[in-house]
Amino acid sequence: MVDLAELNLKFHHIGVATRNIEKEMSYYKMLGYKESSDYFSDPIQGIKGIFIEAEGQPTLELLENLTDKGPLTSCLEKGIKFYHFAYETNNIEEAVNSLLTTNKAMVVVPITNATYFDKICFLMLKNMMMVELVQVNKER
């Protein structure tokens, strides 16, 4: 099994499924979180989102479906809010290939372009942990 440190992956955020970002924002503000990005919409993924940060706490990506039945529906129906950890990489292809071959991970969403990042890919690890790899746009 390959260690994330060997892949030079850097923790980026935790993905949070919500039914309505605006309604949930007050709870996160109560915990010290503030908006750290503009809202973004990604029709390819079928989601709307925003990043929020609080000192000494992990960055969160609050997400909601763009339609009634979107990619977050199954998580929301099961009561799962925190559904993925995201890691930043400079070479997403290399990181994906390494996780597939050495950790027997399974691709859930193949490498694709995204609105907020240059490229993303979702993988399921053998322990059923969802990992998102992100290749960050250099202008961000």
Side-chain angles (χ1 to χ4, degrees), residues 25-41:
M25 188 64 79
S26 63
Y27 294 100
Y28 292 101
K29 286 183 176 179
M30 190 174 56
L31 297 170
Y33 277 91
K34 295 181 179 152
E35 298 170 359
S36 61
S37 77
D38 292 330
Y39 281 89
F40 58 90
S41 181

Side-chain angles (χ1 to χ4, degrees), residues 14-27:
I14 297 171
V16 182
T18 72
R19 293 190 192 284
N20 183 298
I21 293 170
E22 288 81 15
K23 285 182 180 178
E24 294 221 12
M25 188 64 79
S26 63
Y27 294 100

Side-chain angles (χ1 to χ4, degrees), residues 42-95:
D42 194 329
I44 294 170
Q45 293 185 73
I47 53 93
K48 168 184 169 182
I50 189 167
F51 286 93
I52 60 174
E53 295 179 349
E55 188 173 334
Q57 299 184 58
T59 299
L60 301 178
E61 180 186 30
L62 303 183
L63 298 162
E64 71 179 61
N65 288 323
L66 288 176
T67 61
D68 289 340
K69 292 288 184 186
L72 303 173
T73 302
S74 66
C75 288
L76 293 168
E77 287 175 348
K78 295 174 186 170
I80 298 169
K81 295 194 77 57
F82 301 96
Y83 76 100
H84 75 263
F85 279 31
Y87 294 88
E88 185 178 330
T89 178
N90 292 325
N91 187 334
I92 198 166
E93 290 83 2
E94 179 182 58

